[in-house]
């Protein structure tokens, strides 16, 4: 208790605002700038394999991407609200919507809609994965806000997310893990474990056992979707970097309160999918252009990162898009042959990079 | 404004937080700790012991203080130089014996006895000095050896001759006076100690020998490399210590007249403890006479009080040992964290209430709406200039600018392609202006106000102002001269941006938002400089208006421009001209149509406007977050406006932020606008289609000059 007070006064321990450096396998590079651009649209997200091709969402539409000489994109389905997550197995496609419900298209449960699990409404479906044709793992990001209000959920420090296992044939659901801080990504990895990326706590946990086990903690970025590769590794997308100033602001309650009530969300000092285009965005000293150049290591609210990690939590490789770049906000990625396809939600592009690089 | 805001503002206006923090910078603040300990000890023992405050007890304490104080003073000087003197105990004993022998044995006059004691002390000190200073032996071991030798000499002398000095036939009134007399109520030994303390303080702080001692103690290698005579300085310290110990021995002999062999045993420990307790650093380099005297006072107090409480001598040594341990531990921790603590507490942000942020969105179609008016600038000196904060032309079309390395850089007409270094001054050259004779006047931050003649000679015009009466911090030095302008009669008005920080700390001053800046005026003929306006918040651009009676001064963080009348019927008045600008005002210059150009360092952001109202947040941010990550206004936006004499904004020109981030200065010349930026590597030039193609700033200030066309400079 006394040590706690000392920590609070000194700004150390639990109250420390330091952020780990991106080093080792996470050392910064510009490889994302060299990735191929497959498609350009407004905030693409939610890449998933379905019916032999990659599918992703833009706004309230689900689109199919056919790779070939020239990548072709065609619309598959449209919905009332924006699509927030996609999952697929065989001919079934599960679509999560901004309005809160999950819809199943195709297969045995075509037309089914899930809007309640256990004791609560599905307010924010942000990630999903079919375990088999009739079992769906569903991650709800928050019980306070819909997915589009993720920034408010982060800055308030909420941890009201949960992961459920839903039996589609009986409709029964089982709570796998509660009080999660925005479980943004979920996947089954080799060995049978269920990895979930807990964004606001910047860590990846394994919830397959009774007590959740932390796979890797204290990440220097906020993890988004994760995807298991055929080689037994896991792709981890980072949609924004952690900043020391944001960590500091999260601990300044009065300032936070006034910022969230007086200032529009796009001008908050908070992680963002893209940044640097508006003069009124919050600015940090290290961003000042020296001799006309914005240094790539300057503090930035948005960043582009795709990393490969083994199932023990050690990072192997990574590709980055640094400060001042356009390909920020990498939210989802899938393996496609020898390539990795990913969505840059902040840059508005679907990109492809060689698998051995990332 | 809400009640909370009113309260916050009042708190930050009336509580002089920053002045309290400035106190912590003072070199004598270290002494506050032992002074507090002394008061604490005084109070504690005064309460515990019933007869503590009687005249007799205090007087006796005071006399012992005189002796121990001299020992500590000498020890302090040795410690200050980085060594240690363990032999003072035996010097003390030997001097005591010598004084008694001289008086009672050889019947010499009292003053001769004093001289004998001093010379003996000095001689042994010289031995120490030669051993340690000149022969470079280890201080600890060699002074220990001298201690042992001296002790054994003292013992054998006392054994053989001590008895013959016991008879005191009297007649030594002067001697008794030294021991028991008083001057104006103060015991003689204490009075002598105080006199010696003042002299030592003068020696250490006001003479070069004293500075050399502190330098040698601070870093022997650096002192050696700087060419100081390290050996003789160290030797001097030991001689001084010996003299002090000799004096102490004489005073003891005057008080007690005891030629025994146990005199002075253990006194080196007492002196060491006292020196450390007072706050003198054991490693050397930091110490003062007042700390030594305070320390000895504390030690005497503790010893006497423990004895008065009935503790035996073994127990007093035990307590003294513990106290020494504590003093050493505190000293080490303090030496390590002192500069860190000072850096943390120095920045003291205050409350500022910004006016509502004017819109810059193109949709809102205000005068400040973002546009691409400056997208077609062409660069001058791209990649060859470093920090051209200000730009000016002379009467012969040469372009002059400044650099972050303290140069005046000149580019020649007509194409201004190759920059050449016209003169090198040092510091960082900032605002630049020309007088009627094309003499360059320039503000050099870190140095002051300088002038560079046509023949490239550099002359200092001013680097200090009279110190303000009630300022804790020494604000007589001009630390951060920023921009200047020259009045018709030749007086130079220039802004001193902040008196609390140096140039490289400018970001910290922006966090403070205090009125740390001043407007100064210098008469170049006499060099006399005076303060015209105080408490300005980061004053930046200065521009004399076309009427020649008033000047405009921009205050950066409050985003406003004010007018000060320095002459004429309204002399001395200050009024606001433009307020609530959307950005941070930098330099101001005249335009060809009778208006004024204003450059902006950056634009205001909503979050930073909020942070201006929360000084506690900014203070904690300064302490806990790396300076690279501090929340700031947007300095990557290049922006300039033209405003009229009445303060009406006439035009607003934006750069996309790619080429002219942090735009500090705009200069109009013959129908072109020249843009300078403090962090840039180029000057930008853009044509103004509607401007007078023959107008120059030079003519506007000093009258029309014939246009000779491009000339080679003689």
């Amino acid at each position: 208790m006394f040590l706690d007070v000392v920590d609070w006064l000194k700004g150390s321990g639990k109250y420390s605002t330091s952020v780990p450096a991106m080093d080792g396998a996470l050392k910064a590079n510009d490889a994302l700038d060299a990735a191929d651009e497959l498609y350009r649209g407004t905030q693409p997200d939610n890449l998933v394999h379905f019916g032999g091709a990659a599918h992703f969402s833009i706004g309230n539409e689900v689109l199919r991407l056919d790779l070939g000489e020239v990548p072709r994109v065609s619309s598959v389905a449209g919905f009332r609200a924006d699509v927030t997550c996609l999952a697929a197995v065989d001919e079934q496609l599960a679509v999560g919507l901004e309005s809160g419900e999950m819809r199943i298209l195709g297969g045995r449960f075509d037309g089914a809609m899930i809007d309640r699990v256990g004791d609560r409404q599905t307010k924010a479906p942000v990630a999903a994965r079919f375990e088999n044709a009739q079992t769906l793992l569903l991650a709800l990001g928050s019980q306070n806000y819909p997915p589009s209000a993720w920034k408010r959920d982060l800055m308030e420090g909420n941890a009201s997310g949960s992961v459920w296992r839903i039996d589609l044939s009986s409709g029964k659901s089982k709570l796998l893990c509660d009080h999660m801080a925005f479980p943004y990504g979920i996947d089954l990895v080799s060995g049978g474990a269920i990895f979930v990326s807990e964004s606001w706590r910047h860590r990846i946990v394994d919830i397959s056992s009774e007590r959740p086990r932390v796979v890797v903690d204290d990440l220097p970025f906020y993890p988004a979707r994760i995807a298991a590769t055929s080689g037994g590794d896991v792709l981890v997308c980072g949609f924004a970097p952690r900043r020391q100033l944001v960590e500091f602001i999260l601990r300044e309650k009065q300032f936070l309160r006034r910022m969230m009530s007086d200032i529009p969300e796009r001008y908050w000092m908070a992680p963002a999918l893209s940044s640097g285009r508006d003069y009124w965005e919050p600015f940090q000293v290290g961003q000042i252009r020296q001799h006309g150049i914005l240094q790539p290591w300057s503090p930035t609210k948005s960043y582009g990162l795709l990393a490969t990690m083994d199932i023990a939590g050690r990072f192997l490789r990574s590709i980055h898009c640094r400060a001042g770049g356009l390909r920020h906000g990498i939210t989802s990625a899938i393996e496609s042959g020898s390539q990795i396809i990913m969505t840059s939600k902040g840059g508005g592009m679907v990109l492809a990079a060689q698998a051995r690089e990332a | 404004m809400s009640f909370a805001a009113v309260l916050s503002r009042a708190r930050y206006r009336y509580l002089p937080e920053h002045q309290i923090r400035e106190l912590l910078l003072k070199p004598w603040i270290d002494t506050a700790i032992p002074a507090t300990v002394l008061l604490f000890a005084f109070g504690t023992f005064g309460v515990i012991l019933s007869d503590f405050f009687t005249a007799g007890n205090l007087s006796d304490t005071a006399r012992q203080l005189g002796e121990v104080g001299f020992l500590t003073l000498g020890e302090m000087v040795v410690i200050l130089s980085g060594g240690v003197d363990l032999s003072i105990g035996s010097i003390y004993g030997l001097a005591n014996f010598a004084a008694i022998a001289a008086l009672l044995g050889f019947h010499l006059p009292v003053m001769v006895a004093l001289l004998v004691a001093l010379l003996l002390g000095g001689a042994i000190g010289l031995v120490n000095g030669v051993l340690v200073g000149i022969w470079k032996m280890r201080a600890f071991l060699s002074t220990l050896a001298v201690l042992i030798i001296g002790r054994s000499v003292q013992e054998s002398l006392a054994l053989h001759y001590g008895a013959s000095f016991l008879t005191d036939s009297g007649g030594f009134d002067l001697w008794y006076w030294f021991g028991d007399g008083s001057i104006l109520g103060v015991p003689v030994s204490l009075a002598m100690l105080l006199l010696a303390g003042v002299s030592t303080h003068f020696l250490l702080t006001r003479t070069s020998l004293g500075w050399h001692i502190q330098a040698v103690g601070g870093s022997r290698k650096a002192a050696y490399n700087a060419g100081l005579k390290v050996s003789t300085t160290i030797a001097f310290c030991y001689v001084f210590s010996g003299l002090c110990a000799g004096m102490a021995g004489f005073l003891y002999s005057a008080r007690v007249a005891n030629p025994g062999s146990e005199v002075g045993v253990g006194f080196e420990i007492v002196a060491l403890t006292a020196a450390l307790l007072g706050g003198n650093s054991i490693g050397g380099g930091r110490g003062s006479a007042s700390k030594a005297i305070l320390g000895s006072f504390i030690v005497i107090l503790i010893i006497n009080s423990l004895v008065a409480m009935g503790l035996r001598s073994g127990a007093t040594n035990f307590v003294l040992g513990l106290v020494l341990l504590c003093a050493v531990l505190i000293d080490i921790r303090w030496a390590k964290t002192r500069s860190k603590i000072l850096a943390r507490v120095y920045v003291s942000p205050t409350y500022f209430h910004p006016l509502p942020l004017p819109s810059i969105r193109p949709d809102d179609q205000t005068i400040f709406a973002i546009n691409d008016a400056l997208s077609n600038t062409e660069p001058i000196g791209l990649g060859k200039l470093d920090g051209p904060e200000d730009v000016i032309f002379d009467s012969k079309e040469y372009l002059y600018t400044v650099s972050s390395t303290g140069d005046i850089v000149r580019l020649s007409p007509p194409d201004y392609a190759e920059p050449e270094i016209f003169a090198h001054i040092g510091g960082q050259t900032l605002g630049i202006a020309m007088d009627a004779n094309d003499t360059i006047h320039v503000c050099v931050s870190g140095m002051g106000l300088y002038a560079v003649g046509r023949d490239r000679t550099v002359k200092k015009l001013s680097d200090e102002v009279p110190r303000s009466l009630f300022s804790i911090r020494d604000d007589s030095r001009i630390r951060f001269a920023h921009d200047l302008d020259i009045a018709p009669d030749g007086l130079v008005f220039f802004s001193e941006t902040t008196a609390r920080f140096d140039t490289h700390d400018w970001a910290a001053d922006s966090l403070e938002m205090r009125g740390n800046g001043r407007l100064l005026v210098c008469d170049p003929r006499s060099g006399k400089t005076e303060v015209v306006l105080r408490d300005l918040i980061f004053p930046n651009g200065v521009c004399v208006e076309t009427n020649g009676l008033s000047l405009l001064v921009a205050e950066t963080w409050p985003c406003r421009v004010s007018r000060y009348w320095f002459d004429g019927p309204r002399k001395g008045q200050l009024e606001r001209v433009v307020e609530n600008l959307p950005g941070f005002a930098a330099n101001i210059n005249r335009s060809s149509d009778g208006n004024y150009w204003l450059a902006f360092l950056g634009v205001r952001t909503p979050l930073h406007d909020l942070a201006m109202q929360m000084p506690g947040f900014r203070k904690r941010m300064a302490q806990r977050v790396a300076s690279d990550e501090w929340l700031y206004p947007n300095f990557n936006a290049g922006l300039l406006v033209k405003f009229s004499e009445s303060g009406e904004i006439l035009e607003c020109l934006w750069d996309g932020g790619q080429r002219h981030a942090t735009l500090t200065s705009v200069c109009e010349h013959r129908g072109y606008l020249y843009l300078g930026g403090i962090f840039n590597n180029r000057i930008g030039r853009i044509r103004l289609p509607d401007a007078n193609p023959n107008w120059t700033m030079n003519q506007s200030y000093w009258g029309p000059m014939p246009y000779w066309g491009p000339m080679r400079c003689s």
Side-chain angles (χ1 to χ4, degrees), chain A residues 193-233:
Chain A
I194 305 173
F195 277 13
V196 173
S197 61
E198 208 180 342
S199 272
W200 305 161
R201 292 201 182 114
H202 32 79
R203 65 183 186 180
I204 297 180
V205 295
D206 171 9
I207 58 168
S208 51
S209 49
E210 264 304 307
R211 291 191 62 219
R213 177 183 69 90
V214 175
V215 175
V216 62
D217 199 355
D218 211 17
L219 294 169
F221 56 90
Y222 294 96
R225 303 286 159 67
I226 53 178
T229 67
S230 54
D233 297 327

Coordinates of all heavy atoms in Angstrom, one line a residue, chain A residues 193-233:
Chain A
A193 N -4.8 -24.6 -29.2 CA -5.1 -23.5 -28.3 C -5.9 -22.5 -29.0 O -5.9 -22.4 -30.3 CB -3.7 -22.9 -27.9
I194 N -6.6 -21.7 -28.3 CA -7.4 -20.6 -28.8 C -6.7 -19.3 -28.4 O -6.7 -18.9 -27.3 CB -8.8 -20.5 -28.3 CG1 -9.5 -21.9 -28.5 CG2 -9.6 -19.4 -28.9 CD1 -10.9 -22.0 -27.8
F195 N -6.1 -18.6 -29.4 CA -5.4 -17.3 -29.1 C -6.4 -16.2 -29.3 O -7.1 -16.1 -30.3 CB -4.2 -17.1 -30.1 CG -3.0 -17.9 -29.6 CD1 -3.0 -18.8 -28.6 CD2 -1.7 -17.6 -30.2 CE1 -1.9 -19.5 -28.2 CE2 -0.6 -18.2 -29.8 CZ -0.7 -19.2 -28.8
V196 N -6.4 -15.2 -28.4 CA -7.2 -14.0 -28.5 C -6.3 -12.8 -28.3 O -5.5 -12.8 -27.4 CB -8.3 -14.0 -27.4 CG1 -9.0 -12.7 -27.4 CG2 -9.3 -15.2 -27.6
S197 N -6.4 -11.8 -29.2 CA -5.6 -10.6 -29.0 C -6.4 -9.6 -28.2 O -7.5 -9.2 -28.6 CB -5.1 -10.0 -30.3 OG -6.2 -9.7 -31.1
E198 N -5.9 -9.3 -27.0 CA -6.6 -8.4 -26.1 C -6.0 -7.0 -26.3 O -5.0 -6.7 -25.8 CB -6.5 -8.8 -24.7 CG -7.6 -8.5 -23.8 CD -7.4 -8.9 -22.4 OE1 -6.6 -9.8 -22.1 OE2 -8.1 -8.4 -21.5
S199 N -6.7 -6.2 -27.1 CA -6.1 -4.9 -27.6 C -5.7 -3.9 -26.5 O -4.6 -3.5 -26.5 CB -7.0 -4.3 -28.6 OG -6.8 -4.8 -29.9
W200 N -6.7 -3.6 -25.7 CA -6.4 -2.5 -24.8 C -5.4 -2.9 -23.7 O -4.7 -2.0 -23.1 CB -7.6 -2.0 -24.0 CG -8.8 -1.6 -24.9 CD1 -10.1 -1.5 -24.5 CD2 -8.9 -1.2 -26.3 NE1 -10.9 -1.1 -25.5 CE2 -10.2 -0.9 -26.6 CE3 -7.9 -1.1 -27.3 CZ2 -10.6 -0.6 -27.9 CZ3 -8.3 -0.8 -28.6 CH2 -9.6 -0.5 -28.9
R201 N -5.2 -4.2 -23.5 CA -4.1 -4.6 -22.6 C -2.9 -5.0 -23.4 O -2.0 -5.6 -22.8 CB -4.6 -5.8 -21.7 CG -5.7 -5.4 -20.7 CD -5.8 -6.4 -19.6 NE -6.8 -5.9 -18.7 CZ -7.9 -6.6 -18.5 NH1 -8.1 -7.8 -19.1 NH2 -8.9 -6.2 -17.7
H202 N -2.9 -4.7 -24.6 CA -1.7 -4.9 -25.5 C -1.1 -6.3 -25.3 O 0.1 -6.3 -25.0 CB -0.7 -3.8 -25.5 CG -0.6 -3.1 -24.1 ND1 0.1 -3.6 -23.1 CD2 -1.2 -1.9 -23.7 CE1 0.0 -2.8 -22.1 NE2 -0.8 -1.8 -22.4
R203 N -1.9 -7.3 -25.3 CA -1.3 -8.7 -25.1 C -2.1 -9.7 -25.9 O -3.2 -9.4 -26.4 CB -1.3 -9.0 -23.6 CG -2.6 -9.1 -23.0 CD -2.5 -9.4 -21.5 NE -3.9 -9.7 -21.0 CZ -4.1 -9.9 -19.7 NH1 -3.1 -10.0 -18.9 NH2 -5.3 -10.2 -19.3
I204 N -1.5 -10.9 -26.0 CA -2.2 -12.0 -26.6 C -2.4 -13.1 -25.6 O -1.4 -13.5 -24.9 CB -1.5 -12.5 -27.8 CG1 -1.5 -11.4 -28.9 CG2 -2.1 -13.8 -28.4 CD1 -0.8 -11.7 -30.1
V205 N -3.6 -13.6 -25.4 CA -3.8 -14.7 -24.4 C -4.4 -15.9 -25.0 O -4.9 -15.9 -26.1 CB -4.8 -14.2 -23.3 CG1 -4.2 -13.0 -22.5 CG2 -6.1 -13.8 -23.9
D206 N -4.2 -17.0 -24.3 CA -4.7 -18.3 -24.7 C -5.8 -18.7 -23.8 O -5.6 -18.9 -22.6 CB -3.5 -19.3 -24.6 CG -4.0 -20.8 -24.8 OD1 -5.2 -21.0 -25.2 OD2 -3.2 -21.7 -24.6
I207 N -7.0 -18.8 -24.3 CA -8.2 -19.0 -23.4 C -8.7 -20.5 -23.5 O -9.8 -20.8 -23.1 CB -9.4 -18.1 -23.7 CG1 -9.8 -18.2 -25.2 CG2 -8.9 -16.6 -23.4 CD1 -11.1 -17.5 -25.5
S208 N -7.9 -21.4 -24.1 CA -8.4 -22.7 -24.3 C -8.4 -23.5 -23.0 O -9.2 -24.4 -22.8 CB -7.5 -23.5 -25.3 OG -6.2 -23.4 -24.9
S209 N -7.6 -23.1 -22.0 CA -7.7 -23.8 -20.7 C -8.6 -23.1 -19.7 O -9.1 -22.1 -20.0 CB -6.3 -24.0 -20.2 OG -5.6 -22.7 -20.2
E210 N -8.8 -23.7 -18.5 CA -9.7 -23.1 -17.5 C -9.3 -21.7 -17.2 O -10.1 -20.8 -17.2 CB -9.6 -24.0 -16.3 CG -10.7 -25.0 -16.2 CD -12.1 -24.4 -16.3 OE1 -12.4 -23.4 -15.6 OE2 -12.9 -24.8 -17.2
R211 N -8.0 -21.5 -16.9 CA -7.6 -20.1 -16.6 C -6.8 -19.6 -17.8 O -5.9 -20.2 -18.3 CB -6.6 -20.2 -15.4 CG -7.4 -20.5 -14.1 CD -6.5 -20.3 -12.9 NE -6.2 -18.9 -12.8 CZ -5.0 -18.5 -12.4 NH1 -4.0 -19.3 -12.1 NH2 -4.7 -17.2 -12.3
P212 N -7.2 -18.4 -18.3 CA -6.5 -17.8 -19.5 C -5.0 -17.7 -19.2 O -4.6 -17.2 -18.1 CB -7.2 -16.5 -19.6 CG -8.4 -16.6 -18.9 CD -8.2 -17.5 -17.8
R213 N -4.2 -18.0 -20.2 CA -2.7 -17.9 -20.0 C -2.2 -16.8 -21.0 O -2.6 -16.8 -22.1 CB -2.2 -19.3 -20.4 CG -0.7 -19.4 -20.4 CD -0.3 -20.8 -20.9 NE -0.6 -21.0 -22.3 CZ 0.3 -20.7 -23.3 NH1 1.5 -20.2 -23.0 NH2 -0.1 -20.9 -24.5
V214 N -1.4 -16.0 -20.5 CA -0.8 -14.9 -21.3 C 0.3 -15.5 -22.2 O 1.2 -16.1 -21.7 CB -0.2 -13.8 -20.4 CG1 0.4 -12.7 -21.3 CG2 -1.3 -13.2 -19.6
V215 N 0.1 -15.3 -23.5 CA 1.1 -15.8 -24.4 C 2.2 -14.8 -24.6 O 3.4 -15.1 -24.5 CB 0.5 -16.1 -25.8 CG1 1.5 -16.5 -26.8 CG2 -0.6 -17.2 -25.7
V216 N 1.9 -13.6 -24.8 CA 2.9 -12.5 -24.9 C 2.3 -11.2 -24.4 O 1.1 -10.9 -24.7 CB 3.5 -12.3 -26.3 CG1 2.4 -11.9 -27.3 CG2 4.6 -11.3 -26.4
D217 N 3.0 -10.5 -23.6 CA 2.4 -9.3 -22.9 C 3.3 -8.1 -23.2 O 4.4 -8.2 -23.8 CB 2.4 -9.6 -21.4 CG 1.5 -8.6 -20.7 OD1 0.9 -7.7 -21.3 OD2 1.3 -8.8 -19.5
D218 N 2.8 -6.9 -22.9 CA 3.5 -5.7 -23.0 C 4.0 -5.5 -24.4 O 5.2 -5.2 -24.7 CB 4.7 -5.7 -22.0 CG 5.1 -4.3 -21.6 OD1 4.2 -3.4 -21.7 OD2 6.2 -4.1 -21.1
L219 N 3.1 -5.6 -25.4 CA 3.4 -5.4 -26.8 C 3.6 -3.9 -27.0 O 2.9 -3.1 -26.3 CB 2.3 -5.9 -27.7 CG 2.1 -7.4 -27.7 CD1 0.8 -7.7 -28.4 CD2 3.3 -8.1 -28.4
P220 N 4.5 -3.5 -27.9 CA 4.6 -2.0 -28.1 C 3.6 -1.5 -29.1 O 3.7 -0.3 -29.5 CB 6.0 -1.9 -28.8 CG 6.3 -3.3 -29.4 CD 5.5 -4.3 -28.6
F221 N 2.6 -2.3 -29.4 CA 1.5 -1.8 -30.3 C 0.2 -2.4 -29.8 O 0.1 -3.2 -28.9 CB 1.8 -2.2 -31.7 CG 2.0 -3.7 -31.9 CD1 0.9 -4.6 -32.1 CD2 3.3 -4.3 -31.8 CE1 1.1 -5.9 -32.3 CE2 3.4 -5.6 -31.9 CZ 2.4 -6.5 -32.2
Y222 N -0.9 -1.9 -30.3 CA -2.2 -2.4 -30.0 C -2.5 -3.5 -31.1 O -2.6 -3.2 -32.3 CB -3.3 -1.4 -30.1 CG -3.1 -0.3 -29.0 CD1 -2.5 0.9 -29.3 CD2 -3.6 -0.5 -27.7 CE1 -2.3 1.8 -28.3 CE2 -3.5 0.4 -26.7 CZ -2.8 1.6 -27.0 OH -2.7 2.5 -26.1
P223 N -2.7 -4.8 -30.6 CA -2.9 -5.9 -31.6 C -4.3 -5.9 -32.1 O -5.2 -5.6 -31.4 CB -2.5 -7.2 -30.8 CG -2.8 -6.8 -29.4 CD -2.6 -5.3 -29.3
A224 N -4.4 -6.2 -33.4 CA -5.8 -6.3 -34.0 C -6.0 -7.8 -34.3 O -5.9 -8.6 -33.4 CB -5.9 -5.5 -35.3
R225 N -6.3 -8.2 -35.5 CA -6.7 -9.6 -35.8 C -5.4 -10.4 -35.8 O -4.3 -10.0 -36.1 CB -7.3 -9.7 -37.2 CG -8.5 -8.8 -37.3 CD -9.7 -9.4 -36.6 NE -10.7 -8.5 -36.2 CZ -11.5 -7.8 -37.1 NH1 -11.4 -8.0 -38.4 NH2 -12.5 -7.0 -36.7
I226 N -5.6 -11.7 -35.5 CA -4.5 -12.7 -35.6 C -4.9 -13.8 -36.6 O -6.1 -14.0 -36.7 CB -4.1 -13.2 -34.2 CG1 -5.3 -13.8 -33.5 CG2 -3.4 -12.2 -33.4 CD1 -5.0 -14.4 -32.2
A227 N -4.0 -14.4 -37.2 CA -4.3 -15.5 -38.1 C -3.2 -16.6 -38.1 O -2.0 -16.2 -38.2 CB -4.5 -15.0 -39.5
A228 N -3.6 -17.8 -37.9 CA -2.6 -18.9 -37.8 C -2.2 -19.2 -39.3 O -3.0 -19.2 -40.2 CB -3.3 -20.1 -37.2
T229 N -0.9 -19.5 -39.5 CA -0.4 -19.8 -40.8 C -0.3 -21.3 -40.9 O -0.3 -22.0 -39.9 CB 0.9 -19.1 -41.1 OG1 1.9 -19.7 -40.2 CG2 0.9 -17.7 -40.8
S230 N 0.0 -21.8 -42.1 CA 0.1 -23.2 -42.3 C 1.4 -23.7 -41.7 O 1.6 -24.9 -41.4 CB 0.1 -23.5 -43.8 OG 1.0 -22.7 -44.5
G231 N 2.4 -22.8 -41.5 CA 3.7 -23.2 -41.0 C 3.6 -23.3 -39.5 O 4.7 -23.5 -38.8
G232 N 2.5 -23.1 -38.8 CA 2.4 -23.2 -37.4 C 2.7 -21.9 -36.7 O 2.7 -21.9 -35.4
D233 N 2.9 -20.9 -37.4 CA 3.1 -19.6 -36.8 C 1.8 -18.8 -36.7 O 0.7 -19.2 -37.2 CB 4.2 -18.8 -37.5 CG 5.5 -19.5 -37.5 OD1 5.8 -20.1 -36.5 OD2 6.2 -19.3 -38.5

